[in-house]
Amino acid sequence: ISVVDAQPKYHVGQLLLIKVVAKDSKGRAKSHGGDFFRTKLLSTAPVMASTTGRVTDLNNGTYIARFKLSWPGNLSVSVQLTHSSEAVEVLKRIRDKVPKRRIMICGFMDEDTNNSEWTTCTNNVVKHVNLRDVCEFSKPTINVSFYCQRPKHPIHCASITACPRMKIITNTLFTPTSRNPESSMELSSKKHNIHLKFSFHHFPRNVNNAKKAAEVKQLTYVSEGIDDIVGGPNVVIIVGLWAHYMAEPMETFRSRVWGIRHAIERLHSRYPDTMVIWRTSNTNHHDKLFHFLENSDWYARQILLEVKKILKDLNVVILDVWEMSQSMWHNATLHPPKDVIKEHVNMLLSYICP
C-alpha cells in the first residue's frame, strides 16, 4: 500500500489516492483483478470522523482508492481485503451453480383427515424435477416462484400451514396498536399524527431462530403489499429487501425486484405523489465460514448494484447506506448498532422532511 504522488501536506477538498497492490499467498504480486476491499479514511482529532474510499480495479492486480479530504486533522487509512479474487470466483460459482442453497421446511395439515406432513420447500426448482411431484405456490403476475415437495399422504397442496425453520447448504414516540413480530407491526402517535405499519416480506426468510413458525397465510409479498396501499402526498413507503436474498440465486432476487418495480409503477399511476424509498444493503460480519458462503459482503454489494440498475429510471429514492456502514466506528455487522441506525434515520428524514 502506498500514497500516489504523496505531498507533505494536503488541504481540505483535495483527493488522496492510495495504491494497493494485491499479492498471492506466496507474496507474489497478482496480475489480475477481482479482489474485494473495504477502505476507510478516519481521524480522532480535532474531529472524530470517517469516510470510505472509491476503489478502482485496474484489472492487473493494482487498485486505486480515492478519498475526498473533507475535514482537517491527522488522518489514517484502513484497507481491508474482504474477499480475494479467488474467493469471489468461488462465491460466484456457488450463487450461480447451486440454485437450492436455501431449503425451507414447511408443514401440511389436512383438517378433514388430521393427516400432517413436513416437506422441503424452495424458491427455485431444479430443471429435472417433475412438476407433478411438487406443490407450486408461484405468482407469475408479480414475478414470484415458490415450490414445495408434494406430501406423500393424500394431502392437498392448499393445506400448507407453517414453515418453522430454514436450512442453509420501539421508538418511545409510538404506542403499539398491534404486533406480530413474525409478520407485521403497527405503531401510532396521535401527538405527531403519524401511523407506522411494518410488514415482513414473504419467503425467502431466515426463521430458524424464530420463536414460532411463520404462518404462510399471514405473509404477503412486497408487490402485493404495495398494490393494497392507498397512497398520497402524506404516505411514504420504505422497502428494505436484501439480507434474506444473499443465499438465493441472483435471478430470484432480480425477479422479485422487477415485480416490485411494476407494483411501484402501478402505485404511481394511481397516486403519483406517493414517496417510495428503497433502503440498500450494508456491510456484514464474517466471523464463520458460513458467513462468507451465505452472507458475504460481495453478495450484499451485488444485490445493491442490481437494485440500482433495475430502479434507476423510476421515481424512487435510493437510501444508500453502504458507505455509512463501511465507515462506521464499529466492527462490521449485519444489524448495525443503534447510533448508526440513528444516522440512517436522519438521512431518511432528510428526504421525507427536507
Side-chain angles (χ1 to χ4, degrees):
I1 299 176
S2 60
V3 179
V4 178
D5 298 329
Q7 303 176 27
K9 180 181 291 188
Y10 289 83
H11 299 279
V12 172
Q14 285 186 284
L15 285 178
L16 173 66
L17 304 183
I18 301 295
K19 178 181 178 181
V20 180
V21 177
K23 297 183 178 181
D24 62 19
S25 59
K26 296 182 178 180
R28 299 171 300 193
K30 297 170 68 171
S31 58
H32 59 274
D35 299 290
F36 192 79
F37 293 95
R38 288 179 186 161
T39 61
K40 182 162 60 175
L41 183 73
L42 62 156
S43 70
T44 56
V47 294
M48 187 174 180
S50 61
T51 187
T52 58
R54 302 293 176 88
V55 178
T56 300
D57 186 349
L58 302 183
N59 297 313
N60 60 3
T62 301
Y63 305 80
I64 301 296
R66 291 173 168 81
F67 298 91
K68 185 174 182 180
L69 303 177
S70 302
W71 68 90
N74 296 319
L75 309 181
S76 300
V77 173
S78 169
V79 177
Q80 178 185 4
L81 176 63
T82 308
H83 303 302
S84 68
S85 59
E86 293 78 11
V88 169
E89 288 302 316
V90 172
L91 294 176
K92 287 181 181 178
R93 289 200 301 271
I94 292 174
R95 183 194 65 183
D96 298 336
K97 303 297 183 182
V98 187
K100 293 179 66 175
R101 283 191 292 146
R102 185 195 301 266
I103 301 297
M104 180 77 72
I105 311 298
C106 295
F108 291 78
M109 178 69 183
D110 190 321
E111 295 182 357
D112 295 330
T113 63
N114 208 31
N115 287 328
S116 63
E117 187 174 335
W118 297 97
T119 72
T120 58
C121 303
T122 179
N123 291 282
N124 311 283
V125 61
V126 293
K127 295 181 180 179
H128 65 270
V129 170
N130 190 328
L131 292 181
R132 289 179 297 181
D133 297 330
V134 299
C135 293
E136 183 174 2
F137 302 99
S138 302
K139 298 185 177 183
T141 56
I142 57 173
N143 280 16
V144 164
S145 60
F146 190 68
Y147 306 85
C148 290
Q149 180 180 342
R150 187 179 294 272
K152 295 179 181 179
H153 293 292
I155 302 175
H156 295 294
C157 289
S159 300
I160 187 171
T161 56
C163 302
R165 56 191 182 275
M166 185 88 71
K167 289 185 178 180
I168 300 292
I169 310 199
T170 80
N171 191 308
T172 56
L173 291 175
F174 297 94
T175 302
T177 56
S178 66
R179 178 172 182 172
N180 180 355
E182 303 305 326
S183 57
S184 65
M185 177 187 298
E186 293 191 43
L187 305 168
S188 295
S189 171
K190 294 182 179 180
K191 177 180 179 181
H192 299 278
N193 193 26
I194 297 175
H195 183 79
L196 290 178
K197 181 177 180 180
F198 165 81
S199 295
F200 212 118
H201 63 78
H202 210 302
F203 304 129
R205 54 188 299 191
N206 296 329
V207 296
N208 47 312
N209 294 322
K211 293 182 179 179
K212 70 173 187 175
E215 299 292 337
V216 175
K217 294 181 180 179
Q218 293 182 6
L219 298 176
T220 59
Y221 291 101
V222 175
S223 300
E224 295 174 317
I226 293 175
D227 283 336
D228 291 339
I229 289 176
V230 176
N234 296 319
V235 177
V236 179
I237 300 173
I238 304 169
V239 181
L241 197 71
W242 65 276
H244 293 187
Y245 283 83
M246 287 192 285
E248 296 290 333
M250 180 58 77
E251 187 55 38
T252 299
F253 180 72
R254 185 181 293 119
S255 65
R256 296 291 174 89
V257 178
W258 274 108
I260 294 170
R261 177 194 166 99
H262 296 325
I264 294 172
E265 290 173 332
R266 292 191 293 270
L267 172 75
H268 281 159
S269 70
R270 305 190 308 271
Y271 307 101
D273 48 1
T274 305
M275 176 175 285
V276 179
I277 299 175
W278 191 293
R279 191 268 195 192
T280 69
S281 52
N282 53 255
T283 54
N284 191 12
H285 56 283
H286 301 84
D287 300 333
K288 299 178 180 179
L289 178 60
F290 78 86
H291 291 144
F292 285 94
L293 297 179
E294 305 295 342
N295 307 304
S296 80
D297 272 7
W298 186 82
Y299 286 143
R301 183 66 181 175
Q302 303 315 302
I303 282 176
L304 183 153
L305 296 176
E306 196 66 31
V307 166
K308 289 186 174 182
K309 180 180 178 181
I310 295 174
L311 303 182
K312 63 180 180 180
D313 59 345
L314 200 61
N315 183 21
V316 171
V317 174
I318 302 296
L319 191 72
D320 190 342
V321 300
W322 183 271
E323 292 186 358
M324 189 182 296
S325 62
Q326 183 172 303
S327 62
M328 66 182 180
W329 288 83
H330 306 274
N331 293 329
T333 178
L334 180 63
H335 302 287
K338 289 183 178 180
D339 58 322
V340 178
I341 292 296
K342 179 182 177 181
E343 296 307 318
H344 291 184
V345 173
N346 287 338
M347 183 163 64
L348 171 71
L349 293 176
S350 71
Y351 290 100
I352 299 175
C353 310

